[in-house]
Amino acid sequence: MKITKITFVLFLISLMFSCSQDDNTSNQENNDSLSRNSKIRIKALDLEYLGVEHNRVLDNYFQGVVQNNIKLNETKQFAYNTISQSVNIYETSIQDSNLILVLVDRYMDTSLDFSNSFYRNFEIEAEISSNLQTYLDELHSYVYNENETISETLSNINNLERSAESDLNLNNKDLAILFSGTNIAKHSLKYWDINLINWNRHGSAMQRGFWDDIRDVAGADVAGAVYAAV
């Protein structure tokens, strides 16, 4: 499923939060205490705030669309304004803030397809370890598995996180990328499971023909988180 227009806003919101956490962990990554064998390892719970804040900003965005009667042809500018305001609230570096806004201009009108991978669209595969790719591919299989209930998917993601936390083949950079994706995945799936019907009621501002599958929408969210964390 190709992702365009409003759905890419979801990608960017995820990207914004993961850039924030990446800024907070990148300096620590140079420390020997954060090596593969370190006792100090990132836990999935450490990055849960990414999912919580993602959903909060996502809902604020939706309320803004509705209250301001934003039309589809006004989406790009509204997204730009919303994200510009949001990046100032979080600990996002100037460099990453500028990157996010550049991506609004570059990709908002470009078709993207995350149904096969969370990381291949942006040619970042070389920066992702083979061990991490295995986990990201497994996460992808859960997010896009339409034969599961949302509850079953969430349970599988929780199990994936527990496995990763004990896998010493993953360093803290790997874990930061993975847990950015897993936390966004869980919160996004829960959000869309409840709120997709409300978004569809305002079709003038939403992209028709896409919003019938929460897993495609959540996939865009997760791709943004993975891309930013890399």
Side-chain angles (χ1 to χ4, degrees), residues 50-76:
L50 295 176
V52 173
E53 289 299 297
H54 166 273
N55 285 8
R56 186 183 66 78
V57 171
L58 186 58
D59 199 57
N60 287 345
Y61 174 85
F62 173 69
Q63 296 302 326
V65 167
V66 174
Q67 293 169 9
N68 294 285
N69 195 28
I70 301 299
K71 307 301 181 185
L72 188 58
N73 62 357
E74 300 170 328
T75 297
K76 182 174 181 178

Side-chain angles (χ1 to χ4, degrees), residues 71-110:
K71 307 301 181 185
L72 188 58
N73 62 357
E74 300 170 328
T75 297
K76 182 174 181 178
Q77 186 59 49
F78 186 73
Y80 190 94
N81 293 341
T82 300
I83 294 170
S84 295
Q85 294 168 5
S86 297
V87 294
N88 294 325
I89 300 174
Y90 301 95
E91 296 179 15
T92 305
S93 69
I94 294 175
Q95 179 180 1
D96 281 336
S97 297
N98 290 338
L99 169 63
I100 294 167
L101 298 178
V102 167
L103 288 173
V104 174
D105 289 327
R106 182 181 303 168
Y107 290 115
M108 183 63 105
D109 298 315
T110 301

Side-chain angles (χ1 to χ4, degrees), residues 113-136:
D113 186 354
F114 303 115
S115 61
N116 293 316
S117 173
F118 290 138
Y119 53 86
R120 292 192 175 94
N121 273 42
F122 299 97
E123 299 180 350
I124 57 174
E125 189 171 357
E127 300 179 54
I128 299 177
S129 70
S130 59
N131 293 319
L132 176 57
Q133 286 184 31
T134 299
Y135 280 92
L136 289 176

Side-chain angles (χ1 to χ4, degrees), residues 15-228:
L15 187 148
M16 177 181 69
F17 288 114
S18 291
C19 275
S20 175
Q21 71 82 18
D22 190 52
D23 292 334
N24 292 332
T25 60
S26 60
N27 290 333
Q28 293 177 318
E29 186 61 28
N30 294 324
N31 192 305
D32 289 340
S33 67
L34 297 181
S35 67
R36 282 184 170 80
N37 297 319
S38 173
K39 296 180 181 179
I40 305 173
R41 288 173 60 81
I42 293 175
K43 303 287 187 182
L45 189 61
D46 294 337
L47 299 183
E48 185 179 18
Y49 75 94
L50 295 176
V52 173
E53 289 299 297
H54 166 273
N55 285 8
R56 186 183 66 78
V57 171
L58 186 58
D59 199 57
N60 287 345
Y61 174 85
F62 173 69
Q63 296 302 326
V65 167
V66 174
Q67 293 169 9
N68 294 285
N69 195 28
I70 301 299
K71 307 301 181 185
L72 188 58
N73 62 357
E74 300 170 328
T75 297
K76 182 174 181 178
Q77 186 59 49
F78 186 73
Y80 190 94
N81 293 341
T82 300
I83 294 170
S84 295
Q85 294 168 5
S86 297
V87 294
N88 294 325
I89 300 174
Y90 301 95
E91 296 179 15
T92 305
S93 69
I94 294 175
Q95 179 180 1
D96 281 336
S97 297
N98 290 338
L99 169 63
I100 294 167
L101 298 178
V102 167
L103 288 173
V104 174
D105 289 327
R106 182 181 303 168
Y107 290 115
M108 183 63 105
D109 298 315
T110 301
S111 294
L112 298 170
D113 186 354
F114 303 115
S115 61
N116 293 316
S117 173
F118 290 138
Y119 53 86
R120 292 192 175 94
N121 273 42
F122 299 97
E123 299 180 350
I124 57 174
E125 189 171 357
E127 300 179 54
I128 299 177
S129 70
S130 59
N131 293 319
L132 176 57
Q133 286 184 31
T134 299
Y135 280 92
L136 289 176
D137 290 343
E138 185 175 348
L139 174 61
H140 188 278
S141 72
Y142 296 146
V143 171
Y144 281 89
N145 189 348
E146 297 181 354
N147 295 320
E148 292 182 339
T149 65
I150 296 301
S151 294
E152 289 171 334
T153 297
L154 296 175
S155 177
N156 284 332
I157 295 174
N158 285 331
N159 291 335
L160 176 68
E161 289 176 333
R162 285 191 286 271
S163 295
E165 287 176 347
S166 61
D167 188 346
L168 295 182
N169 290 313
L170 300 175
N171 61 23
N172 263 5
K173 180 64 176 178
D174 294 332
L175 294 173
I177 295 170
L178 178 63
F179 294 153
S180 294
T182 58
N183 277 294
I184 292 293
K186 291 188 293 185
H187 284 80
S188 176
L189 286 167
K190 287 186 282 188
Y191 177 87
W192 291 114
D193 195 32
I194 296 171
N195 293 289
L196 184 64
I197 188 172
N198 296 325
W199 284 64
N200 274 329
R201 286 173 179 164
H202 298 274
S204 62
M206 309 305 159
Q207 184 180 337
R208 296 182 183 277
F210 175 81
W211 299 91
D212 56 342
D213 192 337
I214 66 173
R215 293 179 182 275
D216 283 318
V217 185
D221 286 342
V222 179
V226 171
Y227 177 75

